[in-house]
Amino acid sequence: GKDRLSDYAEKGITEKTDIYSIGATFYKLMTGFKPSLDFYSIKPLEMLSVGCSREFIRIIDKCMQINPDDRYENIEELIDELGNLQSW
């Protein structure tokens, strides 16, 4: 079946769960919309006029990947990426 965030919930809370939450918070701040638990119904930031850089959108997208293995390895890696942003 389709991948849903809830399918990964049984793995428990991990650092990568927190990374998803950070991405979801940025998503909400940029769009005004809370991301759905159904991953495939989340509107990509590229399709919305959010007024932030492509690099920042890429970071948010990576944080919100459905498969935790596709997210940042740890919070330090995410912080480094955010620190290297030329513009938000």
Side-chain angles (χ1 to χ4, degrees):
K2 284 185 177 180
D3 284 333
R4 288 177 41 94
L5 290 175
S6 59
D7 295 337
Y8 290 96
E10 64 191 39
K11 295 182 181 182
I13 305 293
T14 67
E15 188 170 16
K16 291 194 176 203
T17 309
D18 293 337
I19 290 169
Y20 179 89
S21 295
I22 291 168
T25 300
F26 283 140
Y27 184 96
K28 168 82 166 134
L29 289 170
M30 295 293 113
T31 66
F33 301 112
K34 179 181 175 184
S36 170
L37 289 178
D38 181 357
F39 181 77
Y40 295 104
S41 69
I42 297 173
K43 293 183 181 177
L45 288 171
E46 294 85 13
M47 295 178 63
L48 304 169
S49 297
V50 294
C52 57
S53 69
R54 283 187 192 191
E55 188 177 357
F56 188 49
I57 289 172
R58 182 189 59 75
I59 290 171
I60 295 170
D61 285 344
K62 185 168 182 175
C63 288
M64 293 181 62
Q65 290 298 302
I66 187 145
N67 184 340
D69 294 335
D70 294 334
R71 298 178 199 152
Y72 291 98
E73 285 299 314
N74 52 55
I75 196 68
E76 290 81 12
E77 185 180 358
L78 172 57
I79 289 169
D80 286 344
E81 286 280 307
L82 290 170
N84 290 328
L85 277 176
Q86 299 298 315
S87 65
W88 293 83

